Amino acid sequence: MNDDFGTEIIASTDMIADLTTALWSGDTGVIGEQSRRALLELIKGPYLSGVKAPMLWSALLANEVVIRSRLHELFLDLVVDRVGEFAFVRNVSTTELTVPSTVRTSALTFLDTAMLLVLRQMLLSGEGEGRVIVGQEDVFEQLRVYRTVDRDESDFNKRLNSSWLKMKNTLRVIHQAGTEDRAEISPVLRLIVDAEQIAAISGEYRRIAEGGAAVALVDADADTNVGGIDDSEVDDHTEEMIS
């Protein structure tokens, strides 16, 4: 009897050892290494890609409930697209209490924001055909309406190139597709910039493009947050957009 009891204690101890998630002495974490790395990637942003990081994507799906709980403790909500294989976080939206803004932000120029709008429209227009690949000059051409008469063309082209590189390297909403001037638009752009946010700013941007009173703002490079279109000089409707 004593032997059986002793065997049971040993078996239970072995089970605890198998389930431990400690990665170093004194580690009190409750999820495994890959899940932690997936959580970190989500917090760092702008998003976690299943195509780029398949191991982290698998860890996220396997431990989604726990990871979502950890994010809630930071006032962050998790958005997962299983079809597109990407996930990102955004600030919790609730009327039950005032929550802090915890999403990392980065300044965008007026032109950056306008390029996001153009890319999103191109994505929606071509999404039914599979991958949406666009030419750099096609995107630039749609943005030339924002060049004011006093803006030197070569300087404006430099600004366009700067925005293009930001879309590719910082926000990662486009990825090179073959030649340097061709890019695939990531489907993540469809979710991180939703229809309500577009409606809040597109009318004003259209007015500016048509030569409205606010056209001088093209020169002002008003800041926009990666965590939300925050172009307060252009529009008061500020919502989160990209983590």
PDB file of all heavy atoms in Angstrom, residues 68-103:
ATOM      1  N   ARG A  68      -5.095  35.855 -25.256  1.00  0.00           N
ATOM      2  CA  ARG A  68      -6.116  36.908 -25.240  1.00  0.00           C
ATOM      3  C   ARG A  68      -6.307  37.450 -23.816  1.00  0.00           C
ATOM      4  O   ARG A  68      -6.457  38.649 -23.611  1.00  0.00           O
ATOM      5  CB  ARG A  68      -7.439  36.371 -25.791  1.00  0.00           C
ATOM      6  CG  ARG A  68      -8.506  37.421 -26.002  1.00  0.00           C
ATOM      7  CD  ARG A  68      -9.778  36.793 -26.560  1.00  0.00           C
ATOM      8  NE  ARG A  68      -9.584  36.247 -27.889  1.00  0.00           N
ATOM      9  CZ  ARG A  68      -9.659  36.956 -29.005  1.00  0.00           C
ATOM     10  NH1 ARG A  68      -9.920  38.263 -28.941  1.00  0.00           N
ATOM     11  NH2 ARG A  68      -9.486  36.373 -30.178  1.00  0.00           N
ATOM     12  N   SER A  69      -6.272  36.547 -22.838  1.00  0.00           N
ATOM     13  CA  SER A  69      -6.406  36.956 -21.447  1.00  0.00           C
ATOM     14  C   SER A  69      -5.253  37.841 -21.009  1.00  0.00           C
ATOM     15  O   SER A  69      -5.444  38.851 -20.327  1.00  0.00           O
ATOM     16  CB  SER A  69      -6.484  35.709 -20.554  1.00  0.00           C
ATOM     17  OG  SER A  69      -6.569  36.063 -19.193  1.00  0.00           O
ATOM     18  N   ARG A  70      -4.024  37.462 -21.404  1.00  0.00           N
ATOM     19  CA  ARG A  70      -2.846  38.280 -21.053  1.00  0.00           C
ATOM     20  C   ARG A  70      -2.962  39.676 -21.667  1.00  0.00           C
ATOM     21  O   ARG A  70      -2.606  40.679 -21.059  1.00  0.00           O
ATOM     22  CB  ARG A  70      -1.559  37.613 -21.551  1.00  0.00           C
ATOM     23  CG  ARG A  70      -1.243  36.242 -20.984  1.00  0.00           C
ATOM     24  CD  ARG A  70      -0.785  36.282 -19.522  1.00  0.00           C
ATOM     25  NE  ARG A  70      -1.903  36.396 -18.617  1.00  0.00           N
ATOM     26  CZ  ARG A  70      -2.690  35.376 -18.277  1.00  0.00           C
ATOM     27  NH1 ARG A  70      -2.499  34.179 -18.814  1.00  0.00           N
ATOM     28  NH2 ARG A  70      -3.697  35.553 -17.442  1.00  0.00           N
ATOM     29  N   LEU A  71      -3.471  39.743 -22.892  1.00  0.00           N
ATOM     30  CA  LEU A  71      -3.633  41.037 -23.563  1.00  0.00           C
ATOM     31  C   LEU A  71      -4.707  41.881 -22.883  1.00  0.00           C
ATOM     32  O   LEU A  71      -4.564  43.099 -22.749  1.00  0.00           O
ATOM     33  CB  LEU A  71      -3.978  40.824 -25.038  1.00  0.00           C
ATOM     34  CG  LEU A  71      -2.841  40.295 -25.913  1.00  0.00           C
ATOM     35  CD1 LEU A  71      -3.365  39.869 -27.282  1.00  0.00           C
ATOM     36  CD2 LEU A  71      -1.743  41.351 -26.076  1.00  0.00           C
ATOM     37  N   HIS A  72      -5.787  41.243 -22.452  1.00  0.00           N
ATOM     38  CA  HIS A  72      -6.835  41.970 -21.741  1.00  0.00           C
ATOM     39  C   HIS A  72      -6.299  42.619 -20.474  1.00  0.00           C
ATOM     40  O   HIS A  72      -6.749  43.702 -20.075  1.00  0.00           O
ATOM     41  CB  HIS A  72      -7.989  41.031 -21.399  1.00  0.00           C
ATOM     42  CG  HIS A  72      -8.874  40.739 -22.568  1.00  0.00           C
ATOM     43  ND1 HIS A  72      -9.853  39.770 -22.545  1.00  0.00           N
ATOM     44  CD2 HIS A  72      -8.932  41.288 -23.811  1.00  0.00           C
ATOM     45  CE1 HIS A  72     -10.478  39.742 -23.713  1.00  0.00           C
ATOM     46  NE2 HIS A  72      -9.923  40.654 -24.499  1.00  0.00           N
ATOM     47  N   GLU A  73      -5.327  41.984 -19.847  1.00  0.00           N
ATOM     48  CA  GLU A  73      -4.717  42.553 -18.647  1.00  0.00           C
ATOM     49  C   GLU A  73      -3.950  43.828 -18.962  1.00  0.00           C
ATOM     50  O   GLU A  73      -3.640  44.619 -18.067  1.00  0.00           O
ATOM     51  CB  GLU A  73      -3.806  41.511 -17.990  1.00  0.00           C
ATOM     52  CG  GLU A  73      -4.591  40.354 -17.371  1.00  0.00           C
ATOM     53  CD  GLU A  73      -3.717  39.177 -16.977  1.00  0.00           C
ATOM     54  OE1 GLU A  73      -2.489  39.234 -17.241  1.00  0.00           O
ATOM     55  OE2 GLU A  73      -4.249  38.209 -16.413  1.00  0.00           O
ATOM     56  N   LEU A  74      -3.634  44.020 -20.245  1.00  0.00           N
ATOM     57  CA  LEU A  74      -2.951  45.241 -20.692  1.00  0.00           C
ATOM     58  C   LEU A  74      -3.918  46.178 -21.418  1.00  0.00           C
ATOM     59  O   LEU A  74      -3.486  47.108 -22.096  1.00  0.00           O
ATOM     60  CB  LEU A  74      -1.790  44.877 -21.628  1.00  0.00           C
ATOM     61  CG  LEU A  74      -0.687  44.010 -21.028  1.00  0.00           C
ATOM     62  CD1 LEU A  74       0.316  43.625 -22.108  1.00  0.00           C
ATOM     63  CD2 LEU A  74       0.009  44.752 -19.886  1.00  0.00           C
ATOM     64  N   PHE A  75      -5.225  45.924 -21.280  1.00  0.00           N
ATOM     65  CA  PHE A  75      -6.263  46.715 -21.951  1.00  0.00           C
ATOM     66  C   PHE A  75      -6.156  46.637 -23.470  1.00  0.00           C
ATOM     67  O   PHE A  75      -6.417  47.605 -24.178  1.00  0.00           O
ATOM     68  CB  PHE A  75      -6.220  48.181 -21.487  1.00  0.00           C
ATOM     69  CG  PHE A  75      -6.416  48.361 -20.013  1.00  0.00           C
ATOM     70  CD1 PHE A  75      -5.326  48.531 -19.174  1.00  0.00           C
ATOM     71  CD2 PHE A  75      -7.692  48.340 -19.465  1.00  0.00           C
ATOM     72  CE1 PHE A  75      -5.505  48.686 -17.799  1.00  0.00           C
ATOM     73  CE2 PHE A  75      -7.881  48.492 -18.094  1.00  0.00           C
ATOM     74  CZ  PHE A  75      -6.788  48.665 -17.254  1.00  0.00           C
ATOM     75  N   LEU A  76      -5.755  45.481 -23.975  1.00  0.00           N
ATOM     76  CA  LEU A  76      -5.622  45.264 -25.411  1.00  0.00           C
ATOM     77  C   LEU A  76      -6.556  44.150 -25.847  1.00  0.00           C
ATOM     78  O   LEU A  76      -6.768  43.173 -25.129  1.00  0.00           O
ATOM     79  CB  LEU A  76      -4.178  44.891 -25.769  1.00  0.00           C
ATOM     80  CG  LEU A  76      -3.125  45.989 -25.605  1.00  0.00           C
ATOM     81  CD1 LEU A  76      -1.731  45.413 -25.798  1.00  0.00           C
ATOM     82  CD2 LEU A  76      -3.369  47.124 -26.582  1.00  0.00           C
ATOM     83  N   ASP A  77      -7.105  44.297 -27.051  1.00  0.00           N
ATOM     84  CA  ASP A  77      -7.966  43.278 -27.632  1.00  0.00           C
ATOM     85  C   ASP A  77      -7.234  42.609 -28.790  1.00  0.00           C
ATOM     86  O   ASP A  77      -6.440  43.249 -29.484  1.00  0.00           O
ATOM     87  CB  ASP A  77      -9.273  43.903 -28.115  1.00  0.00           C
ATOM     88  CG  ASP A  77     -10.362  42.868 -28.303  1.00  0.00           C
ATOM     89  OD1 ASP A  77     -10.169  41.715 -27.860  1.00  0.00           O
ATOM     90  OD2 ASP A  77     -11.409  43.207 -28.884  1.00  0.00           O
ATOM     91  N   LEU A  78      -7.495  41.330 -28.995  1.00  0.00           N
ATOM     92  CA  LEU A  78      -6.841  40.554 -30.044  1.00  0.00           C
ATOM     93  C   LEU A  78      -7.781  40.363 -31.220  1.00  0.00           C
ATOM     94  O   LEU A  78      -8.928  39.963 -31.045  1.00  0.00           O
ATOM     95  CB  LEU A  78      -6.423  39.186 -29.491  1.00  0.00           C
ATOM     96  CG  LEU A  78      -5.844  38.172 -30.481  1.00  0.00           C
ATOM     97  CD1 LEU A  78      -4.516  38.670 -31.051  1.00  0.00           C
ATOM     98  CD2 LEU A  78      -5.660  36.810 -29.802  1.00  0.00           C
ATOM     99  N   VAL A  79      -7.282  40.650 -32.415  1.00  0.00           N
ATOM    100  CA  VAL A  79      -8.039  40.424 -33.647  1.00  0.00           C
ATOM    101  C   VAL A  79      -7.300  39.357 -34.446  1.00  0.00           C
ATOM    102  O   VAL A  79      -6.111  39.514 -34.739  1.00  0.00           O
ATOM    103  CB  VAL A  79      -8.170  41.711 -34.484  1.00  0.00           C
ATOM    104  CG1 VAL A  79      -8.948  41.439 -35.768  1.00  0.00           C
ATOM    105  CG2 VAL A  79      -8.833  42.812 -33.672  1.00  0.00           C
ATOM    106  N   VAL A  80      -8.000  38.266 -34.789  1.00  0.00           N
ATOM    107  CA  VAL A  80      -7.381  37.152 -35.508  1.00  0.00           C
ATOM    108  C   VAL A  80      -8.146  36.885 -36.796  1.00  0.00           C
ATOM    109  O   VAL A  80      -9.374  36.747 -36.790  1.00  0.00           O
ATOM    110  CB  VAL A  80      -7.373  35.863 -34.650  1.00  0.00           C
ATOM    111  CG1 VAL A  80      -6.735  34.714 -35.421  1.00  0.00           C
ATOM    112  CG2 VAL A  80      -6.640  36.093 -33.337  1.00  0.00           C
ATOM    113  N   ASP A  81      -7.428  36.826 -37.910  1.00  0.00           N
ATOM    114  CA  ASP A  81      -8.008  36.441 -39.194  1.00  0.00           C
ATOM    115  C   ASP A  81      -7.383  35.106 -39.588  1.00  0.00           C
ATOM    116  O   ASP A  81      -6.237  35.051 -40.046  1.00  0.00           O
ATOM    117  CB  ASP A  81      -7.725  37.507 -40.255  1.00  0.00           C
ATOM    118  CG  ASP A  81      -8.439  37.226 -41.577  1.00  0.00           C
ATOM    119  OD1 ASP A  81      -8.424  36.056 -42.016  1.00  0.00           O
ATOM    120  OD2 ASP A  81      -9.012  38.159 -42.172  1.00  0.00           O
ATOM    121  N   ARG A  82      -8.129  34.017 -39.415  1.00  0.00           N
ATOM    122  CA  ARG A  82      -7.592  32.690 -39.698  1.00  0.00           C
ATOM    123  C   ARG A  82      -7.430  32.432 -41.187  1.00  0.00           C
ATOM    124  O   ARG A  82      -6.571  31.647 -41.592  1.00  0.00           O
ATOM    125  CB  ARG A  82      -8.485  31.630 -39.055  1.00  0.00           C
ATOM    126  CG  ARG A  82      -8.338  31.555 -37.543  1.00  0.00           C
ATOM    127  CD  ARG A  82      -9.342  30.606 -36.902  1.00  0.00           C
ATOM    128  NE  ARG A  82      -9.049  30.404 -35.500  1.00  0.00           N
ATOM    129  CZ  ARG A  82      -9.276  31.302 -34.545  1.00  0.00           C
ATOM    130  NH1 ARG A  82      -9.829  32.466 -34.860  1.00  0.00           N
ATOM    131  NH2 ARG A  82      -8.957  31.053 -33.281  1.00  0.00           N
ATOM    132  N   VAL A  83      -8.262  33.054 -41.993  1.00  0.00           N
ATOM    133  CA  VAL A  83      -8.162  32.868 -43.439  1.00  0.00           C
ATOM    134  C   VAL A  83      -6.921  33.577 -43.981  1.00  0.00           C
ATOM    135  O   VAL A  83      -6.111  32.995 -44.710  1.00  0.00           O
ATOM    136  CB  VAL A  83      -9.427  33.390 -44.152  1.00  0.00           C
ATOM    137  CG1 VAL A  83      -9.269  33.260 -45.657  1.00  0.00           C
ATOM    138  CG2 VAL A  83     -10.660  32.626 -43.679  1.00  0.00           C
ATOM    139  N   GLY A  84      -6.760  34.832 -43.615  1.00  0.00           N
ATOM    140  CA  GLY A  84      -5.601  35.597 -44.071  1.00  0.00           C
ATOM    141  C   GLY A  84      -4.338  35.268 -43.303  1.00  0.00           C
ATOM    142  O   GLY A  84      -3.246  35.670 -43.701  1.00  0.00           O
ATOM    143  N   GLU A  85      -4.463  34.551 -42.183  1.00  0.00           N
ATOM    144  CA  GLU A  85      -3.354  34.171 -41.318  1.00  0.00           C
ATOM    145  C   GLU A  85      -2.572  35.376 -40.813  1.00  0.00           C
ATOM    146  O   GLU A  85      -1.370  35.503 -41.034  1.00  0.00           O
ATOM    147  CB  GLU A  85      -2.422  33.172 -42.027  1.00  0.00           C
ATOM    148  CG  GLU A  85      -3.060  31.824 -42.290  1.00  0.00           C
ATOM    149  CD  GLU A  85      -2.048  30.763 -42.705  1.00  0.00           C
ATOM    150  OE1 GLU A  85      -0.863  31.106 -42.870  1.00  0.00           O
ATOM    151  OE2 GLU A  85      -2.457  29.612 -42.875  1.00  0.00           O
ATOM    152  N   PHE A  86      -3.269  36.256 -40.128  1.00  0.00           N
ATOM    153  CA  PHE A  86      -2.604  37.352 -39.442  1.00  0.00           C
ATOM    154  C   PHE A  86      -3.415  37.740 -38.219  1.00  0.00           C
ATOM    155  O   PHE A  86      -4.607  37.444 -38.113  1.00  0.00           O
ATOM    156  CB  PHE A  86      -2.393  38.556 -40.371  1.00  0.00           C
ATOM    157  CG  PHE A  86      -3.659  39.121 -40.953  1.00  0.00           C
ATOM    158  CD1 PHE A  86      -4.470  39.982 -40.214  1.00  0.00           C
ATOM    159  CD2 PHE A  86      -4.047  38.808 -42.254  1.00  0.00           C
ATOM    160  CE1 PHE A  86      -5.628  40.500 -40.754  1.00  0.00           C
ATOM    161  CE2 PHE A  86      -5.209  39.322 -42.793  1.00  0.00           C
ATOM    162  CZ  PHE A  86      -6.003  40.177 -42.045  1.00  0.00           C
ATOM    163  N   ALA A  87      -2.745  38.372 -37.275  1.00  0.00           N
ATOM    164  CA  ALA A  87      -3.404  38.816 -36.050  1.00  0.00           C
ATOM    165  C   ALA A  87      -2.737  40.107 -35.587  1.00  0.00           C
ATOM    166  O   ALA A  87      -1.548  40.334 -35.841  1.00  0.00           O
ATOM    167  CB  ALA A  87      -3.298  37.751 -34.962  1.00  0.00           C
ATOM    168  N   PHE A  88      -3.501  40.948 -34.928  1.00  0.00           N
ATOM    169  CA  PHE A  88      -2.944  42.183 -34.387  1.00  0.00           C
ATOM    170  C   PHE A  88      -3.734  42.572 -33.148  1.00  0.00           C
ATOM    171  O   PHE A  88      -4.783  41.984 -32.846  1.00  0.00           O
ATOM    172  CB  PHE A  88      -2.973  43.309 -35.431  1.00  0.00           C
ATOM    173  CG  PHE A  88      -4.356  43.679 -35.911  1.00  0.00           C
ATOM    174  CD1 PHE A  88      -5.065  44.721 -35.311  1.00  0.00           C
ATOM    175  CD2 PHE A  88      -4.949  43.008 -36.967  1.00  0.00           C
ATOM    176  CE1 PHE A  88      -6.337  45.064 -35.756  1.00  0.00           C
ATOM    177  CE2 PHE A  88      -6.215  43.340 -37.418  1.00  0.00           C
ATOM    178  CZ  PHE A  88      -6.908  44.375 -36.810  1.00  0.00           C
ATOM    179  N   VAL A  89      -3.214  43.545 -32.419  1.00  0.00           N
ATOM    180  CA  VAL A  89      -3.905  44.007 -31.212  1.00  0.00           C
ATOM    181  C   VAL A  89      -4.341  45.453 -31.387  1.00  0.00           C
ATOM    182  O   VAL A  89      -3.761  46.209 -32.178  1.00  0.00           O
ATOM    183  CB  VAL A  89      -3.008  43.881 -29.964  1.00  0.00           C
ATOM    184  CG1 VAL A  89      -2.651  42.434 -29.698  1.00  0.00           C
ATOM    185  CG2 VAL A  89      -1.753  44.734 -30.085  1.00  0.00           C
ATOM    186  N   ARG A  90      -5.370  45.832 -30.658  1.00  0.00           N
ATOM    187  CA  ARG A  90      -5.830  47.212 -30.632  1.00  0.00           C
ATOM    188  C   ARG A  90      -6.351  47.516 -29.237  1.00  0.00           C
ATOM    189  O   ARG A  90      -6.633  46.594 -28.456  1.00  0.00           O
ATOM    190  CB  ARG A  90      -6.919  47.440 -31.685  1.00  0.00           C
ATOM    191  CG  ARG A  90      -8.144  46.569 -31.538  1.00  0.00           C
ATOM    192  CD  ARG A  90      -9.055  46.737 -32.735  1.00  0.00           C
ATOM    193  NE  ARG A  90     -10.207  45.832 -32.688  1.00  0.00           N
ATOM    194  CZ  ARG A  90     -11.006  45.599 -33.724  1.00  0.00           C
ATOM    195  NH1 ARG A  90     -10.776  46.185 -34.886  1.00  0.00           N
ATOM    196  NH2 ARG A  90     -12.026  44.767 -33.616  1.00  0.00           N
ATOM    197  N   ASN A  91      -6.471  48.777 -28.933  1.00  0.00           N
ATOM    198  CA  ASN A  91      -6.970  49.161 -27.621  1.00  0.00           C
ATOM    199  C   ASN A  91      -8.383  48.636 -27.421  1.00  0.00           C
ATOM    200  O   ASN A  91      -9.188  48.638 -28.358  1.00  0.00           O
ATOM    201  CB  ASN A  91      -6.972  50.685 -27.477  1.00  0.00           C
ATOM    202  CG  ASN A  91      -5.580  51.265 -27.405  1.00  0.00           C
ATOM    203  OD1 ASN A  91      -4.671  50.641 -26.889  1.00  0.00           O
ATOM    204  ND2 ASN A  91      -5.408  52.464 -27.934  1.00  0.00           N
ATOM    205  N   VAL A  92      -8.677  48.194 -26.202  1.00  0.00           N
ATOM    206  CA  VAL A  92     -10.024  47.743 -25.874  1.00  0.00           C
ATOM    207  C   VAL A  92     -10.996  48.901 -26.044  1.00  0.00           C
ATOM    208  O   VAL A  92     -10.713  50.034 -25.651  1.00  0.00           O
ATOM    209  CB  VAL A  92     -10.074  47.223 -24.423  1.00  0.00           C
ATOM    210  CG1 VAL A  92     -11.516  47.043 -23.966  1.00  0.00           C
ATOM    211  CG2 VAL A  92      -9.320  45.905 -24.312  1.00  0.00           C
ATOM    212  N   SER A  93     -12.123  48.638 -26.673  1.00  0.00           N
ATOM    213  CA  SER A  93     -13.164  49.657 -26.852  1.00  0.00           C
ATOM    214  C   SER A  93     -14.354  49.281 -25.976  1.00  0.00           C
ATOM    215  O   SER A  93     -14.979  48.238 -26.169  1.00  0.00           O
ATOM    216  CB  SER A  93     -13.585  49.710 -28.325  1.00  0.00           C
ATOM    217  OG  SER A  93     -14.639  50.634 -28.511  1.00  0.00           O
ATOM    218  N   THR A  94     -14.650  50.099 -24.982  1.00  0.00           N
ATOM    219  CA  THR A  94     -15.757  49.833 -24.073  1.00  0.00           C
ATOM    220  C   THR A  94     -16.290  51.136 -23.483  1.00  0.00           C
ATOM    221  O   THR A  94     -15.543  52.107 -23.347  1.00  0.00           O
ATOM    222  CB  THR A  94     -15.310  48.899 -22.927  1.00  0.00           C
ATOM    223  OG1 THR A  94     -16.403  48.706 -22.020  1.00  0.00           O
ATOM    224  CG2 THR A  94     -14.130  49.479 -22.168  1.00  0.00           C
ATOM    225  N   THR A  95     -17.569  51.129 -23.169  1.00  0.00           N
ATOM    226  CA  THR A  95     -18.186  52.294 -22.513  1.00  0.00           C
ATOM    227  C   THR A  95     -18.328  52.052 -21.013  1.00  0.00           C
ATOM    228  O   THR A  95     -18.835  52.905 -20.289  1.00  0.00           O
ATOM    229  CB  THR A  95     -19.579  52.559 -23.117  1.00  0.00           C
ATOM    230  OG1 THR A  95     -20.398  51.379 -22.967  1.00  0.00           O
ATOM    231  CG2 THR A  95     -19.469  52.908 -24.593  1.00  0.00           C
ATOM    232  N   GLU A  96     -17.865  50.905 -20.542  1.00  0.00           N
ATOM    233  CA  GLU A  96     -18.043  50.537 -19.141  1.00  0.00           C
ATOM    234  C   GLU A  96     -17.030  51.190 -18.218  1.00  0.00           C
ATOM    235  O   GLU A  96     -17.259  51.313 -17.021  1.00  0.00           O
ATOM    236  CB  GLU A  96     -17.981  49.018 -19.001  1.00  0.00           C
ATOM    237  CG  GLU A  96     -19.099  48.303 -19.757  1.00  0.00           C
ATOM    238  CD  GLU A  96     -18.937  46.793 -19.717  1.00  0.00           C
ATOM    239  OE1 GLU A  96     -19.006  46.236 -18.605  1.00  0.00           O
ATOM    240  OE2 GLU A  96     -18.742  46.192 -20.791  1.00  0.00           O
ATOM    241  N   LEU A  97     -15.888  51.595 -18.771  1.00  0.00           N
ATOM    242  CA  LEU A  97     -14.884  52.303 -17.983  1.00  0.00           C
ATOM    243  C   LEU A  97     -13.936  53.021 -18.923  1.00  0.00           C
ATOM    244  O   LEU A  97     -13.920  52.763 -20.133  1.00  0.00           O
ATOM    245  CB  LEU A  97     -14.099  51.350 -17.092  1.00  0.00           C
ATOM    246  CG  LEU A  97     -13.025  50.454 -17.730  1.00  0.00           C
ATOM    247  CD1 LEU A  97     -12.104  49.911 -16.652  1.00  0.00           C
ATOM    248  CD2 LEU A  97     -13.636  49.319 -18.518  1.00  0.00           C
ATOM    249  N   THR A  98     -13.174  53.939 -18.364  1.00  0.00           N
ATOM    250  CA  THR A  98     -12.179  54.653 -19.154  1.00  0.00           C
ATOM    251  C   THR A  98     -10.896  53.822 -19.163  1.00  0.00           C
ATOM    252  O   THR A  98     -10.339  53.525 -18.103  1.00  0.00           O
ATOM    253  CB  THR A  98     -11.884  56.033 -18.557  1.00  0.00           C
ATOM    254  OG1 THR A  98     -13.105  56.783 -18.502  1.00  0.00           O
ATOM    255  CG2 THR A  98     -10.859  56.785 -19.395  1.00  0.00           C
ATOM    256  N   VAL A  99     -10.461  53.429 -20.345  1.00  0.00           N
ATOM    257  CA  VAL A  99      -9.269  52.575 -20.444  1.00  0.00           C
ATOM    258  C   VAL A  99      -8.103  53.368 -21.012  1.00  0.00           C
ATOM    259  O   VAL A  99      -8.292  54.266 -21.833  1.00  0.00           O
ATOM    260  CB  VAL A  99      -9.549  51.337 -21.321  1.00  0.00           C
ATOM    261  CG1 VAL A  99     -10.627  50.471 -20.691  1.00  0.00           C
ATOM    262  CG2 VAL A  99      -9.939  51.735 -22.735  1.00  0.00           C
ATOM    263  N   PRO A 100      -6.893  53.047 -20.580  1.00  0.00           N
ATOM    264  CA  PRO A 100      -5.714  53.748 -21.120  1.00  0.00           C
ATOM    265  C   PRO A 100      -5.439  53.324 -22.546  1.00  0.00           C
ATOM    266  O   PRO A 100      -5.829  52.241 -22.980  1.00  0.00           O
ATOM    267  CB  PRO A 100      -4.591  53.297 -20.181  1.00  0.00           C
ATOM    268  CG  PRO A 100      -5.024  51.954 -19.695  1.00  0.00           C
ATOM    269  CD  PRO A 100      -6.526  52.038 -19.566  1.00  0.00           C
ATOM    270  N   SER A 101      -4.760  54.179 -23.281  1.00  0.00           N
ATOM    271  CA  SER A 101      -4.358  53.860 -24.645  1.00  0.00           C
ATOM    272  C   SER A 101      -2.988  53.209 -24.582  1.00  0.00           C
ATOM    273  O   SER A 101      -1.993  53.859 -24.249  1.00  0.00           O
ATOM    274  CB  SER A 101      -4.314  55.135 -25.503  1.00  0.00           C
ATOM    275  OG  SER A 101      -3.898  54.839 -26.815  1.00  0.00           O
ATOM    276  N   THR A 102      -2.927  51.921 -24.862  1.00  0.00           N
ATOM    277  CA  THR A 102      -1.677  51.184 -24.703  1.00  0.00           C
ATOM    278  C   THR A 102      -1.025  50.787 -26.021  1.00  0.00           C
ATOM    279  O   THR A 102       0.088  50.281 -26.039  1.00  0.00           O
ATOM    280  CB  THR A 102      -1.914  49.900 -23.876  1.00  0.00           C
ATOM    281  OG1 THR A 102      -3.008  49.174 -24.441  1.00  0.00           O
ATOM    282  CG2 THR A 102      -2.251  50.243 -22.441  1.00  0.00           C
ATOM    283  N   VAL A 103      -1.716  50.985 -27.134  1.00  0.00           N
ATOM    284  CA  VAL A 103      -1.142  50.630 -28.440  1.00  0.00           C
ATOM    285  C   VAL A 103      -0.009  51.584 -28.783  1.00  0.00           C
ATOM    286  O   VAL A 103      -0.134  52.800 -28.625  1.00  0.00           O
ATOM    287  CB  VAL A 103      -2.231  50.683 -29.532  1.00  0.00           C
ATOM    288  CG1 VAL A 103      -1.594  50.607 -30.916  1.00  0.00           C
ATOM    289  CG2 VAL A 103      -3.213  49.538 -29.358  1.00  0.00           C
TER     290      VAL A 103
END
